[in-house]
Amino acid sequence: MNFQAPIGSSLPRDRAKRLLAGRGQYVDDIQLPRMLHLAFVRSPYPHARVKSIETIDAVAMPGVARVVKGADLVGVVSSWRGTHNLFPGLKAPEQHVLAGDTARWQGEAVAAVAARSRAEAEDAAEQIVVDWEELPFVGDAEVALENGATFVHDSLGSNQAFAAEVKQGNTELAFQDAHLVIERRFRFNRHTGVSLESRGLIADYDPSADRLTVYQSHQTPHQQQDLYARLLDIPEQNVRVICPDVGGAFGLKHHLYPDELAACAISKLLERPVKYIADRFESFLSDIHCRDHTVTARMAFTQEGDIVGMQVDDLFHAGAYSQYPRSSIAEGNQIIRLCGIPYRHEHYRAAVRMAYLNKSLLGHIRSVGHPIACAVTEQLVDLGAKQLSLDPVAMRRRAYLRDEDFPTTSPGGIALEHLSFHGCLDRALERIDVDAFRREQAQLREQGIYRGIGFATFVDLTSIGPEYYGEGGQHISAQETCLLRLEASGGIRCYTGATDQGQGIDSGIQQVVAGVIGVPVQDVKVNSGDSELCPVGGGSWGSRGAALAGEAALRAGQELRRNILNIAGVLLQKVPELLDIRDGAVVDATSGAKQLALAEVAQIGHFRPYMVPDNTPSDLTVTGRYASRDRMFLPANGLHVAILDVDTDTGLIVFQRYLVVHDCGRLLNPLLVEEQIRGGVVQGIGGALYEEFIYDDDGYLCNGTLADYLVPMAAEMPDIEVEHLETPTATSELGAKGAGEAGTTGAMGAVLNAVNDALTPFDVTLSEVPLTPPRILRALGKI
Amino acid sequence: MTEPSKTVQMALRVNRESVEATVPVRRNLVDFLRDDLGLTGSHVGCEHGVCGACTVVVDGAIMRGCLMLAVQADGCEIETIEGADQSGRLAALQAAFHRRNALQCGFCTPAMLLTAAALLEQNSKPSRDEIRDYLSGNFCRCTGYQEIVDAVAEVAGADT
Amino acid sequence: MKAPDFAYLRPNTLEEAVAALGRFGDDARILAGGQTLMALQNFRMASAEILFDINWIPGLSDIHEEPDCLVIGSLVRYAGLEASSLIERDAPLLSEAVGHIAHPAVRNRGTIGGSLALGDPAAEMPACMLALNAEMVLCDANGERRVPADEFFLGLYETTLRPDEILTAVRIPKARPSQCYAFDEVARRRGDFALAGLAIAGKAEGSALHSVRLAYFGVADRPVLAVSAMAMLEGQSLTAELIDRVREAAIGELDPPDDPATPAAYRRHLGGVLVARLLGQLRERLL
């Protein structure tokens, strides 16, 4: 089809104007009559028995409506297990909203106070006396899997949650015969999403209608509707989840959290609205964390610089439980499937082990597993190039999958359409003169300035298909539906199951609808984030909105357009094929002469439908539906290039330049895609340089405030150049692939490679992130 | 006031309107503005003065709303995003932020705007580094900052 | 993360304040700019029953000069220091240091007195006072006493300030034309507390240095002078070789705490880097 503006136009977002005026409405901005506020008592220990909980003093505190322990919620809310049917070996223990007799991570809630205000709830929570018996804890995945380790869950009889292996070819033989084998052990330390707005919700249960309305800062309203209905035993048609403006999410808001479900259960118990807003302490203690992987990887090369094969062993953990409803396996599973993916090679073996231990849960944060697979692969490629005295660019050029290799299935089992590795590299080299950089680098080294360049090629598995969670047994939609309604005035309302936390998918869909139908973009109003009003959809996660919800919008737009032209054809006594819709009016397709305003068509459709023969499709409320078939993912690709200086006295890093060349297929709105990339890069830089949860020897989190958990701030971040290639996917008509995670996917690898390139004269290699100054100086032997 | 007290009656001006209120002394300024006055455009991000989301203008100077007690605003002139928006003094910044999409989720945005406006009052032609420096106490998790810097630079008429 | 319940007292004069402190001092905590205290309150880590708001006391927010010194009221905000031409002229070290403190919104509220009374070992102002040989002016109901910076900072968040006293001002000897000074710190991000920092002040006669004070922050439980390194500079002209020896000496006498995020060895190493860099700058300026 003909993709016309505003599809592909860099338009600003409708939603932004409200937010700029301070008129956003986030969940904590909402007040309901009779609303109570929750505070939790959380375990101060990584592992402890709860011998008793004394609440007498707390109950007597001013403003307290109820103090709730786990036993109070029996029969109100069910437990769950974070299983996944595609991974039948995954052992997932039962989890409850409030810990019963054992707390298994520092921050696990054991009791809650509902009070008039949050301050009073906190006052009362301080008066709850828990008799804790500290238990031995497991704080490290390697230790967890040793013989004789303390069990996190006695019922499982082991701390091993899952193990799997992916194999192609024969790596043992191939590695024996290889000219060069590079092996490294990598550490990717633990960090999280740190949305500026913390998690929060208001649960409002009305017993007279057995109805639960939840206002929640969340990415997936329909998923939550299903979970609340099932776990709280409320008919699903009586459960409504509304996601108002959401202040950042990044994956940490697409899970079920026990404290949030507890708020719903307490609302049901008390028959009053209950608000729970996690404070920053609680965010750091109880939000889903990510990474915390130890990867040992080997790459084998020919003398000429071809890659023969790869062996990968990933060890990670889920924290104390497998997250729900998606399970915690994905980060490890993505790693073993994605290592080496941009490169031609035939022999591949990758294994993953996942443990349980006494830390808060690990799960899905922006770019699940991808940054790790990318960094591991790209560092091994750089090290191979160095050993073979090859230029890292030339090495990549040689070893990349070539245009003629597609379509193919990667050794890790990922089906690849056409990916533009060479095109991205070409474009990057148009922007960055690597030879000139090397000359400059040599000169700077003479002055004691250590500048480095790092390349990171990535593949991003976007837009997960229904085969993953559908087959996995989770009620998470990978199908998107778009509902369009032509109003009598000629304007169009659009309802989507995708959600917008600022990425701009509302605008992308608006542009698709406007472009497909032929109306001005401001004539389309997109509504999202309401499980009752919007068609069932998956919300936003995993870089899916443009590709899935965008295609559904395209299909709905095509149908509405057809019906509009059918009605117009009847009125004008012309065949619809001779008509077109341009700028919100029905026109003669050849001359462009205006024939009818859309309002005239709509008024016939709504108020005088007898004018149109019954057998002529003329619905003005239509839906379009899209789910991919026979593919698990929609891979996108790109290349990051980082240029930076390492101060070898202080270990501090200063960026000089950052470039991303990205191919996410058809661009709906370059302005918004670029913004996604930049934000993603900075989040990736966070993981590469700053963000790390630090635990002491006793298993306590040491840096649970925003003053000591370091996020990237404006002063240190580079300007980021973004270049686009557009290789549309052939699996949809729109041709869009996901873009939301690509910035994060490659940043860690690019920064790691740039730092190591900068430190070449010192003959050191760092393979642990974040690259903190002490780590850098230790590698340099200065401390 | 010579005896300790748990509530204080105070009078102040908020967004050019007179406000009288009796507040518990432990309530901080941003909670007072949000919960008592319904000025929810100021946001609460960390409650320990790091993220900058609660920044409001007190007697003409930007301050952290979570690091001031409401009673300390007794007699002060407070301006929040709602007042600054309605006065029109942010219009150029708002337009540049909108055009360049210098916001995603919008949670940091009101404070970012007030902070950027404070910079431009002091320094009408800041360099990119000066802009980044001045905004370095305002956490934005979404944008990567560049478009924000561009927008402020554009309003300052600096090269972008 | 809401502050616990407490009571609030707002004296309107210094006399009222010291009288009330005499009554309630042990249960009270003085609230100046509040840029640290308020966060601790929100954390429920500060346990004062009464917050004693001194922001309404007149006369504590001025900077004035006496023949040999600047008197800076304890309620002078960091932004006030930044904007003061007196400070720029007579205490340029402070002008240089103050921009490193946190961020504009915090500098608009935070006070010099609050920083000194808190005694945060990673903060800039205490080290500057130490480098400049400043005196703290402390008032109680019976009058005032002056304590030199050398004796004021006792340990982690611990000073000689008694519960019934208010820090009302600091007295800083005016910089003479012969003053030499330098300031820098290493932080991961702009405005963060320093991993290590150094304030230097002294006299230069020709190229010879006298009475140079090297005041470190972020490397101990309080701001500390590197006394043996200082002694090596007395009467000397800076040379690369001397700077190197001073660096070694400074590293040798720093004994930073170890914490899980920042090993002691790293802070100690930074101590050396900073002194070498700042003395290098001084050397260039004195050439």
Side-chain angles (χ1 to χ4, degrees), chain A residues 40-84:
Chain A
F40 288 92
V41 176
R42 295 174 180 276
S43 173
Y45 302 107
H47 197 189
R49 183 154 297 128
V50 181
K51 291 166 74 180
S52 67
I53 301 177
E54 185 48 71
T55 63
I56 291 177
D57 292 345
V59 170
M61 292 287 286
V64 171
R66 184 75 174 259
V67 177
V68 180
K69 297 190 275 190
D72 300 321
L73 298 177
V74 172
V76 180
V77 60
S78 306
S79 61
W80 63 88
R81 288 174 191 270
T83 55
H84 194 304

Side-chain angles (χ1 to χ4, degrees), chain A residues 309-620:
Chain A
M310 213 175 161
Q311 295 177 333
V312 180
D313 288 284
D314 176 34
L315 174 63
F316 80 120
H317 69 93
Y321 292 91
S322 177
Q323 63 155 324
Y324 191 67
R326 290 160 196 257
S327 91
S328 292
I329 184 59
E331 189 139 77
N333 185 55
Q334 299 285 46
I335 290 167
I336 61 170
R337 296 189 170 276
L338 278 167
C339 281
I341 192 167
Y343 298 98
R344 290 181 134 193
H345 60 293
E346 287 171 8
H347 304 282
Y348 187 74
R349 183 192 63 74
V352 60
R353 286 176 301 154
M354 180 170 89
Y356 286 118
L357 44 80
N358 296 111
K359 283 184 177 168
S360 63
L361 275 60
L362 284 183
H364 302 172
I365 302 285
R366 196 176 198 173
S367 200
V368 180
H370 289 61
I372 294 175
C374 173
V376 165
T377 303
E378 291 295 88
Q379 177 165 88
L380 292 177
V381 169
D382 265 17
L383 290 173
K386 194 184 273 185
Q387 286 291 312
L388 296 168
S389 301
L390 292 171
D391 173 70
V393 172
M395 173 96 181
R396 283 175 173 77
R397 171 92 68 206
R398 180 182 179 94
Y400 278 159
L401 285 167
R402 296 170 196 165
D403 289 352
E404 64 268 26
D405 293 335
F406 299 108
T408 184
T409 297
S410 78
I414 306 292
L416 301 176
E417 232 184 319
H418 186 268
L419 296 177
S420 54
F421 300 120
H422 290 273
C424 288
L425 183 59
D426 290 341
R427 182 69 69 85
L429 297 178
E430 287 168 20
R431 296 297 299 262
I432 293 176
D433 182 342
V434 177
D435 293 336
F437 170 81
R438 292 293 178 201
R439 287 191 295 275
E440 181 193 27
Q441 182 183 45
Q443 283 164 7
L444 289 170
R445 278 178 188 164
E446 313 249 305
Q447 303 163 36
I449 295 169
Y450 296 94
R451 184 163 293 178
I453 188 168
F455 295 84
T457 315
F458 69 89
V459 171
D460 205 9
L461 303 184
T462 78
S463 314
I464 292 178
E467 289 80 2
Y468 188 73
Y469 287 124
E471 211 44 38
Q474 287 83 2
H475 295 182
I476 297 168
S477 176
Q479 173 169 272
E480 284 300 327
T481 302
C482 177
L483 185 147
L484 295 178
R485 188 168 104 196
L486 182 68
E487 301 292 12
S489 60
I492 294 168
R493 280 188 206 273
C494 169
Y495 296 85
T496 175
T499 55
D500 194 332
Q501 296 84 42
Q503 306 93 321
I505 191 59
D506 279 6
S507 298
I509 288 170
Q510 182 189 29
Q511 288 172 251
V512 169
V513 170
V516 168
I517 297 177
V519 299
V521 69
Q522 64 270 19
D523 287 3
V524 181
K525 171 79 176 83
V526 178
N527 299 283
S528 62
D530 186 330
S531 73
E532 185 161 275
L533 298 182
C534 296
V536 173
S540 290
W541 48 272
S543 305
R544 63 190 300 282
L548 304 184
E551 183 73 5
L554 175 141
R555 291 181 177 189
Q558 287 172 334
E559 184 168 344
L560 184 57
R561 175 189 162 83
R562 186 195 64 189
N563 294 353
I564 291 168
L565 292 180
N566 282 346
I567 296 172
V570 170
L571 296 179
L572 298 167
Q573 298 289 302
K574 287 188 178 171
V575 289
E577 289 71 27
L578 296 177
L579 300 170
D580 192 7
I581 305 173
R582 292 179 200 163
D583 201 26
V586 177
V587 301
D588 182 282
T590 317
S591 71
K594 185 174 166 181
Q595 308 281 304
L596 281 173
L598 233 47
E600 295 175 85
V601 175
Q603 283 164 21
I604 298 296
H606 286 299
F607 308 129
R608 293 194 286 162
Y610 48 78
M611 305 267 299
V612 183
D614 237 1
N615 58 356
T616 303
S618 55
D619 291 355
L620 296 180

Side-chain angles (χ1 to χ4, degrees), chain B residues 6-8 22-28 36 69-71, chain C residues 5-6:
Chain B
K6 295 223 166 175
T7 57
V8 170
T22 302
V23 288
V25 296
R26 67 159 147 173
R27 186 162 303 160
N28 67 35
D36 295 22
L69 297 173
V71 295
Chain C
D5 206 15
F6 56 81

Side-chain angles (χ1 to χ4, degrees), chain C residues 6-207:
Chain C
F6 56 81
Y8 174 82
L9 190 60
R10 181 197 289 169
N12 290 309
T13 65
L14 189 57
E15 292 66 35
E16 254 179 55
V18 290
L21 268 186
R23 279 171 65 202
F24 304 113
D26 288 341
D27 302 323
R29 194 137 181 208
I30 292 175
L31 173 62
Q35 300 303 283
T36 302
L37 180 55
M38 281 292 298
L40 294 177
Q41 286 288 135
N42 294 348
F43 287 162
R44 295 188 176 232
M45 282 164 63
S47 56
E49 286 176 26
I50 305 170
L51 280 197
F52 211 95
D53 186 353
I54 60 170
N55 284 277
W56 265 258
I57 299 176
L60 301 186
S61 303
D62 304 327
I63 303 171
H64 68 266
E65 54 179 325
E66 292 182 6
D68 294 319
C69 72
L70 279 185
V71 183
I72 305 174
S74 60
L75 277 182
V76 172
R77 319 266 169 197
Y78 299 126
L81 295 177
E82 265 180 304
S84 163
S85 52
L86 275 182
I87 298 284
E88 197 179 353
R89 191 190 67 195
D90 293 332
L93 175 71
L94 285 190
S95 291
E96 189 147 332
V98 72
H100 290 266
I101 300 171
H103 307 283
V106 170
R107 293 202 293 271
N108 282 340
R109 184 83 190 159
T111 64
I112 183 169
S115 173
L116 299 176
L118 179 70
D120 188 321
E124 290 81 357
M125 288 299 111
C128 288
M129 296 306 117
L130 204 53
L132 292 170
N133 247 329
E135 277 183 333
M136 316 297 152
V137 182
L138 313 180
C139 272
D140 66 10
N142 302 317
E144 72 170 46
R145 62 179 176 130
R146 295 180 185 177
V147 180
D150 282 341
E151 297 164 22
F152 184 73
F153 302 103
L154 301 180
L156 192 63
Y157 303 115
E158 204 187 332
T159 69
T160 57
L161 193 66
R162 292 193 312 263
D164 62 344
E165 283 180 320
I166 295 178
L167 172 69
T168 55
V170 291
R171 299 171 61 83
I172 296 175
K174 277 187 185 175
R176 301 289 167 204
S178 61
Q179 189 188 55
C180 59
Y181 67 92
F183 182 94
D184 202 5
E185 65 182 54
V186 176
R188 296 293 312 276
R189 305 172 305 176
R190 198 87 48 97
D192 278 358
F193 275 110
L195 297 165
L198 176 60
I200 302 179
K203 271 192 306 193
E205 283 167 9
S207 68

